[in-house]
Amino acid sequence: MIYWNIFVAFFIPGILGYGGGPASIPLVENEVVQRFGWMSVQEFSEVLALSNSLPGPIATKMAGYIGYDVAGVPGAFVGVFATVAPSLILMLVLLGILFKYKESPKVKRMTLYVRPVIAVLLGVMAWRFFAQSYHGIGLIQTILILVVSYVLMERVKIHPAFVIAGALVYGGFLL
């Protein structure tokens, strides 16, 4: 039953997470934290930060780690397969159709209408992470890390992986 639950936890976000890894992360968080209770929001945010700092697709890294954490090596394989399977199946079925109608105004409009939903999903997840951080390290530290991260990524143009690594080091030594 645990392998089926791992499969469902990563297959559903893979099916519904239109737009790539960032779009599926709030869905994975919902399955892992809210539905199955395998991790707390804090633990999930740590896995997300670590996955974000490593090279490669974030959803598969998270699925591998969480699957392993829940059910060992077989759980890792099930999680990674469940993450990859929806994209593979959909690509095989829909790629021909999308290429045929890629210049259609309806297809272009459909893509535009999905983007606000993805933005809301990411915003809700960011709010949960902010609230968890606020309760864990306080408002001043949270705002300080938020502002410094924003400046480094948006103004100085430092890669997010280095900002995440810097925040890990800051948290490890100073908090």
Side-chain angles (χ1 to χ4, degrees):
M1 189 65 177
I2 190 68
Y3 299 117
W4 174 251
N5 289 343
I6 292 170
F7 182 81
V8 168
F10 292 102
F11 188 78
I12 291 173
I15 287 285
L16 300 175
Y18 184 82
S24 67
I25 290 169
L27 301 171
V28 171
E29 189 262 350
N30 182 61
E31 297 292 322
V32 170
V33 175
Q34 307 296 327
R35 183 174 178 189
F36 292 109
W38 293 327
M39 294 183 160
S40 66
V41 172
Q42 175 68 31
E43 292 167 330
F44 185 82
S45 66
E46 291 168 0
V47 170
L48 176 63
L50 185 61
S51 299
N52 230 351
S53 65
L54 298 173
I58 189 167
T60 52
K61 289 181 288 187
M62 292 181 69
Y65 177 79
I66 294 170
Y68 179 79
D69 191 48
V70 172
V73 173
F77 281 112
V78 170
V80 170
F81 175 74
T83 301
V84 175
S87 298
L88 180 64
I89 294 167
L90 288 174
M91 279 180 55
L92 292 174
V93 173
L94 298 176
L95 200 56
I97 297 170
L98 282 176
F99 271 127
K100 185 175 180 180
Y101 297 106
K102 71 179 181 183
E103 296 302 324
S104 165
K106 286 184 180 179
V107 171
K108 289 181 179 179
R109 223 178 13 246
M110 179 183 75
T111 303
L112 288 176
Y113 278 60
V114 168
R115 289 181 183 166
V117 175
I118 293 169
V120 168
L121 287 171
L122 289 172
V124 168
M125 186 182 73
W127 174 253
R128 287 182 186 157
F129 287 171
F130 179 81
Q132 184 74 27
S133 176
Y134 169 73
H135 290 295
I137 61 173
L139 183 62
I140 293 173
Q141 290 291 336
T142 300
I143 290 175
L144 176 70
I145 293 171
L146 183 84
V147 169
V148 169
S149 298
Y150 175 79
V151 168
L152 289 175
M153 288 190 295
E154 293 298 320
R155 302 290 182 204
V156 184
K157 302 294 183 193
I158 292 179
H159 192 277
F162 294 118
V163 176
I164 291 169
L168 285 171
V169 170
Y170 177 76
F173 286 111
L174 299 177
L175 296 178

